[in-house]
Amino acid sequence: MTTKILIGAPIKQDPAILDLYLRSLVRLNKTGFTVDYCFVDDNNEEASSALLRDFQTHHTTALLEGKKTTVYSKSQETHLWREELIWNVASFKNQIIQFSLDHGYDYVFFVDSDLILHPTTLLRLVETEKDIVSEVFWTKWKPQSIELPQVWLCDAYTLYHKGREEQLSSNEASVRIQQFIQQLRIPGVYEVGGLGALTLIKRGVFEKGVNFSEIKNISFGGEDRHFCIRACAYGFDLFVDTHFPAFHIYRNSDLTLAKTLI
């Protein structure tokens, strides 16, 4: 029986970036799979909504309606995530989960709408046979910073291991951060404590009740953190694959390079 995979995402995106994203999804190697799409159209720009409707005419795609009321602010410096927007996104992702359960999909592949994927990404992630696995990508969260991954080891975004009673100097912490970063530059599959944005998830994870809803007694921001904590509490480990890093169009200045990758 053919494996059914649903590629999904909430979409609130600039048309130029969205066009590259959709083209990236189309060129994925899907050999041996039935792959459909489910997008939540939360765009404020009609041109972006039109791109999704056009995509739907060529590919089996469910288009769900977003709220289209909140504004997502970003600049050449950074992205600004307001609480209302974060939990709207969580709700949209949960709708995609429910759609996948209702329609018998074996996996959901959540892919944020500002990513350009290597064509082999989907095949590679399925080959890992993990319940939850992300493909790595790298981002300069600030223009002057070094590139960092979208995965982490514990808490909100801690990039090093530390025992609960262990005391580390800033130098020791820096060494461990560099070790983690260097490890992720080597092709492999590694266990992590947090992930998101580009994640393949088996149906059984959702059947146990794992989702993106807010855990009210945890102060960490971001729906992916709440998903990861809930997943671990339900007994699922989290992994990252580093064979085919994606490209993150985090700033409009990244568009020139992104266009060369399609």
Side-chain angles (χ1 to χ4, degrees), residues 74-125:
K74 58 182 180 178
S75 67
Q76 279 296 105
E77 181 71 18
T78 190
H79 294 196
L80 301 175
W81 284 91
R82 293 164 46 203
E83 278 288 295
E84 180 185 4
L85 181 57
I86 288 170
W87 300 116
N88 282 349
V89 168
S91 173
F92 298 154
K93 288 182 176 180
N94 285 344
Q95 289 179 50
I96 293 169
I97 290 171
Q98 190 59 54
F99 183 91
S100 76
L101 292 172
D102 291 343
H103 294 84
Y105 289 93
D106 301 297
Y107 292 88
V108 174
F109 188 26
F110 282 106
V111 184
D112 277 10
S113 63
D114 54 2
L115 295 172
I116 304 297
L117 277 55
H118 186 285
T120 311
T121 303
L122 183 57
L123 291 180
R124 174 59 203 160
L125 293 181

Side-chain angles (χ1 to χ4, degrees), residues 13 18 28 39 47 67 71 84 90 100 114 154 158 165 171 191 199 214 216 238 241 254 256 261:
Q13 192 55 264
L18 181 58
L28 283 172
F39 300 128
K67 295 185 178 180
V71 177
E84 180 185 4
S100 76
D114 54 2
C154 67
T158 300
E165 297 183 358
N171 285 340
E191 186 171 356
T199 309
E214 180 184 10
K216 294 184 179 180
L238 310 172
D241 179 85
D254 297 323
T256 300
L261 302 175

Side-chain angles (χ1 to χ4, degrees), residues 24-250:
S24 169
L25 296 183
V26 169
R27 71 172 188 168
L28 283 172
N29 188 337
K30 308 172 183 72
T31 303
F33 309 137
T34 297
V35 176
D36 300 324
Y37 304 87
C38 182
F39 300 128
V40 180
D41 181 3
D42 195 41
N43 291 293
N44 299 111
E45 294 192 50
E46 170 56 26
S48 296
S49 295
L51 280 171
L52 293 180
R53 292 193 298 270
D54 180 70
F55 186 89
Q56 186 181 39
T57 65
H58 297 92
H59 309 279
T60 304
T61 306
L63 282 184
L64 309 180
E65 193 69 18
K67 295 185 178 180
K68 301 187 179 184
T69 55
T70 55
V71 177
Y72 175 36
S73 299
K74 58 182 180 178
S75 67
Q76 279 296 105
E77 181 71 18
T78 190
H79 294 196
L80 301 175
W81 284 91
R82 293 164 46 203
E83 278 288 295
E84 180 185 4
L85 181 57
I86 288 170
W87 300 116
N88 282 349
V89 168
S91 173
F92 298 154
K93 288 182 176 180
N94 285 344
Q95 289 179 50
I96 293 169
I97 290 171
Q98 190 59 54
F99 183 91
S100 76
L101 292 172
D102 291 343
H103 294 84
Y105 289 93
D106 301 297
Y107 292 88
V108 174
F109 188 26
F110 282 106
V111 184
D112 277 10
S113 63
D114 54 2
L115 295 172
I116 304 297
L117 277 55
H118 186 285
T120 311
T121 303
L122 183 57
L123 291 180
R124 174 59 203 160
L125 293 181
V126 173
E127 285 175 357
T128 69
E129 299 185 343
K130 302 299 186 184
D131 292 309
I132 305 172
V133 58
S134 286
E135 185 59 48
V136 75
F137 62 85
W138 300 84
T139 307
K140 290 185 176 181
W141 302 116
K142 298 286 186 179
Q144 66 276 13
S145 70
I146 65 169
E147 286 188 329
L148 293 174
Q150 96 285 12
V151 298
W152 59 98
L153 290 173
C154 67
D155 299 331
Y157 191 63
T158 300
L159 300 178
Y160 58 89
H161 284 295
K162 184 178 79 68
R164 287 189 178 88
E165 297 183 358
E166 190 176 12
Q167 300 296 318
L168 294 182
S169 68
S170 58
N171 285 340
E172 289 170 328
S174 295
V175 168
R176 294 189 186 186
I177 290 170
Q178 287 305 311
Q179 289 172 341
F180 179 56
I181 291 172
Q182 289 168 10
Q183 180 186 52
L184 296 183
R185 293 292 188 180
I186 301 170
V189 179
Y190 306 103
E191 186 171 356
V192 293
L195 45 70
L198 179 52
T199 309
L200 183 72
I201 307 167
K202 285 186 178 180
R203 177 185 181 90
V205 175
F206 305 129
E207 290 177 332
K208 287 287 184 68
V210 180
N211 59 44
F212 291 88
S213 297
E214 180 184 10
I215 302 172
K216 294 184 179 180
N217 63 341
I218 291 172
S219 63
F220 297 152
E223 80 287 352
D224 284 329
R225 291 174 179 83
H226 292 246
F227 171 88
C228 292
I229 292 167
R230 185 177 279 108
C232 287
Y234 274 87
F236 295 102
D237 295 325
L238 310 172
F239 294 89
V240 63
D241 179 85
T242 63
H243 285 84
F244 300 104
F247 181 78
H248 190 193
I249 311 174
Y250 192 61

